[in-house]
Amino acid sequence: MSEILDLLRYSFVQRALIAGSLISICASILGVILVLKHYSLIGHGLSEIGFASLSIAAALKISAIYITAPAVIVAAFIIMFVSERFKTAGDIAIAVASSAALALGVIISSLSGSASNMSSYLFGSVLALSESDLIFAVILAVIIILAFVIFYNRLFLISYNEDYARSLGINITYYQALISILTAFIIVTGMRIMGTLLISGVIILPAVSAKNLASGFQSLVIYSAIISFIAFIAGLTLSFALNIPAGAAVILANTIILILVKVFIK
Amino acid sequence: MTERLNLSNALIKYGDKTLLNDVSLKANSGEMIFITGINGAGKSTLIKAMAGLIALSSGEININGRISYVPQVEEADRDFPAKVIEIVLTGTQRPGKIFYSRHDKQLAIRSMRELKISDLSKRKINTLSGGQLKRVFIARALCGEPDILLLDEPCAGLDSESHDILFTLLRKKISEGCLILMVTHDDSDFEYIPEARVITLSGGRII
Ligand SMILES: Nc1ncnc2c1ncn2[C@@H]1O[C@H](COP(=O)(O)OP(=O)(O)OP(=O)(O)O)[C@@H](O)[C@H]1O
Ligand SMILES: [Mg+2]
């Protein structure tokens, strides 16, 4: 234990701790909306598109953020639009787009000789966090939490019943766009540390656990954030102790929490 | 007296089916209109068009004022983790206003009291009975201080006491200048508001 506490002296560990906690908390707050709106698959689809764009950025030797952020945001809009227009086709569209993107990413990584980075893209790496990643994570966290506080009542209404919001004259497209953009940003930021394959679990799992505990929307958001934070700290500790990838350890911690909640509550 | 609603030659097509056919209707503040007709006649379609949920294929719709709506079927997840008070308060939302004022909260509390659901205010919606939930949706609509109330079979599932309470509240709303359009299958409802107009739909037309 004291060895793990000793690690806190290293700046990359501090960065991982701060950025990872913020990302976990923000991801789980957005996850509440995605779970309630049955958009759980979107995170998964977007993260695989994120992986493809990371591979392209590596092949072209340009900074990843310039490619992944726009690619994931555009994809988020397309997916939301498709699932809105063709109600049933949404999950199929996501499944097709995400597996195609994953395949594309693998091919590009292999051809461009950056395949050695592939596993760090797929499963994340706490060592990969730079100073600017940390700053980006802090800014993103501030934006997401502010957006949530400011638009809380609207997000509640739209998650509950879009038609009712429309009947009140509220333009829900703005809010769908807001949710898409924030989800895209969380994925782009979070996939460095958690991995492209695992970030969607960090978004969804805490909200699913919290749903079993919450008595209302507000408590759902709060429980989701707390669970996500605990799972991240537990996962990061586990990842240092066992020398396993942080993203996988965080998902493991989240899964254990979910099982405990299911078994002991109700 | 203000004109609140003007529908002219409204047509709604879905594929090759015509759900609403050449419907024209004008209504003013302080009026009550009952809408009747057999199942599938187009009553809900007409209400949804007025609520802005279905676009007209042709024709024109002019709405002047704030709308509150009680749907025939709530298009939401019954297991949504929300408390009654959280749902009722959403009725006070409107474009350009993102926080609830103290006045909004008072309106929500008052309309819950009027519908006798004050004691349910902290309950999760998935623990309510069908009729209790219906009263929650009516309370949500009433607390929005509407100029136009659209009620799609609000009495379905209500016990006789709640039914009487609803009509007392509606009469009050009418006297305050609210325009009310209400879908019903029960002709005896007309007696509660003798001055009301009754329109009957058949195959998407007013007959
Ligand atoms: N989403 C939809 N897609 C296709 N047709 C629809 C849809 N909704 C309703 N319809 C059709 O439109 C017609 C009118 O439906 P509507 O719901 O307006 O009837 P209604 O008068 O409210 O009936 P009820 O008394 O059963 O509530 C019906 O023939 C129905 O089958
Ligand atoms: Mg109907």
Side-chain angles (χ1 to χ4, degrees), chain B residues 105-139:
Chain B
K105 288 174 189 160
Q106 286 163 349
L107 287 171
I109 288 168
R110 190 181 74 191
S111 66
M112 286 195 299
R113 194 173 53 231
E114 286 171 340
L115 284 144
K116 299 211 164 20
I117 50 170
S118 301
D119 53 326
L120 305 176
S121 108
K122 297 259 159 58
R123 288 261 294 270
K124 244 171 122 166
I125 53 166
N126 66 357
T127 66
L128 302 187
S129 75
Q132 288 171 331
L133 203 56
K134 195 89 191 200
R135 275 144 65 195
V136 171
F137 298 144
I138 295 170

Side-chain angles (χ1 to χ4, degrees), chain A residues 36 38 149-157 159-164 166-171 175 211 213-220, chain B residues 51-53 66-67 69 71 74-77 79-83 86-87 90-91 93-100 124-125 137 140-141:
Chain A
L36 290 176
H38 304 283
V149 171
I150 293 172
F151 298 114
Y152 175 85
N153 294 328
R154 282 285 201 276
L155 293 172
F156 169 78
L157 173 58
S159 310
Y160 170 66
N161 190 337
E162 283 184 3
D163 269 357
Y164 204 78
R166 274 200 202 93
S167 80
L168 293 170
I170 291 163
N171 187 336
Y175 296 93
K211 217 176 160 207
L213 303 170
S215 62
F217 187 72
Q218 196 173 5
S219 63
L220 176 57
Chain B
L53 302 180
R66 234 176 99 65
I67 286 183
Y69 166 52
E74 179 83 355
E75 301 281 348
D77 182 358
D79 276 328
F80 193 92
K83 293 177 186 163
E86 290 178 313
I87 296 295
T90 61
Q93 290 198 28
R94 59 192 74 176
K97 183 173 94 47
I98 50 175
F99 295 111
Y100 296 133
K124 244 171 122 166
I125 53 166
F137 298 144
R140 174 181 64 180

Side-chain angles (χ1 to χ4, degrees), chain A residues 141-221:
Chain A
V142 170
I143 292 174
I144 289 184
I145 290 168
L146 270 183
F148 224 85
V149 171
I150 293 172
F151 298 114
Y152 175 85
N153 294 328
R154 282 285 201 276
L155 293 172
F156 169 78
L157 173 58
I158 288 167
S159 310
Y160 170 66
N161 190 337
E162 283 184 3
D163 269 357
Y164 204 78
R166 274 200 202 93
S167 80
L168 293 170
I170 291 163
N171 187 336
I172 66 163
T173 313
Y174 294 145
Y175 296 93
Q176 283 173 331
L178 179 72
I179 296 166
S180 306
I181 291 176
L182 295 180
T183 307
F185 273 118
I186 262 297
I187 285 170
V188 170
T189 320
M191 65 192 184
R192 299 294 290 276
I193 179 162
M194 309 289 184
T196 49
L197 283 186
L198 298 168
I199 180 67
S200 59
V202 179
I203 295 175
I204 298 305
L205 280 169
V208 176
S209 299
K211 217 176 160 207
N212 293 283
L213 303 170
S215 62
F217 187 72
Q218 196 173 5
S219 63
L220 176 57
V221 174

Side-chain angles (χ1 to χ4, degrees), chain A residues 17-58:
Chain A
L17 198 63
I18 297 170
S21 303
L22 290 174
I23 288 166
S24 303
I25 290 170
C26 293
S28 68
I29 293 176
L30 277 174
V32 167
I33 294 179
L34 298 184
V35 165
L36 290 176
K37 290 192 70 55
H38 304 283
Y39 284 168
S40 307
L41 264 176
I42 286 178
H44 189 64
L46 291 182
S47 55
E48 275 161 27
I49 288 160
F51 169 68
S53 47
L54 265 183
S55 311
I56 294 170

